[in-house]
Amino acid sequence: MPGKGCFAQPRAKIYGISEYGQVVGEVDMMNEILHRGPITCAVAVTPELRNYTSGVFVDKTGRV
């Protein structure tokens, strides 16, 4: 209802998690998604990455 504006949902869905852990690497991430569903991820950002425009970024600072 785009024309109605914001309003409280009468029965909002509430989601939670039953467990969590760390998954590292593309193959492990794909397996996790295949077997258990969606994952979240985070990226540690160096100042150099803030100016990223294209290509493969390689962190050469050793800070992350």
Side-chain angles (χ1 to χ4, degrees):
M1 294 181 260
K4 189 172 181 181
C6 296
F7 58 94
Q9 297 295 313
R11 287 176 278 159
K13 292 184 179 183
I14 298 175
Y15 297 93
I17 59 169
S18 58
E19 59 184 290
Y20 61 93
Q22 186 173 351
V23 179
V24 178
E26 183 178 355
V27 172
D28 289 344
M29 290 179 189
M30 289 189 296
N31 282 324
E32 185 72 14
I33 293 166
L34 175 67
H35 296 296
R36 296 164 43 118
I39 63 173
T40 62
C41 60
V43 176
V45 178
T46 64
E48 294 77 15
L49 185 58
R50 291 188 192 126
N51 298 321
Y52 168 82
T53 56
S54 67
V56 176
F57 177 79
V58 178
D59 175 29
K60 296 178 183 176
T61 66
R63 291 181 280 190
V64 180

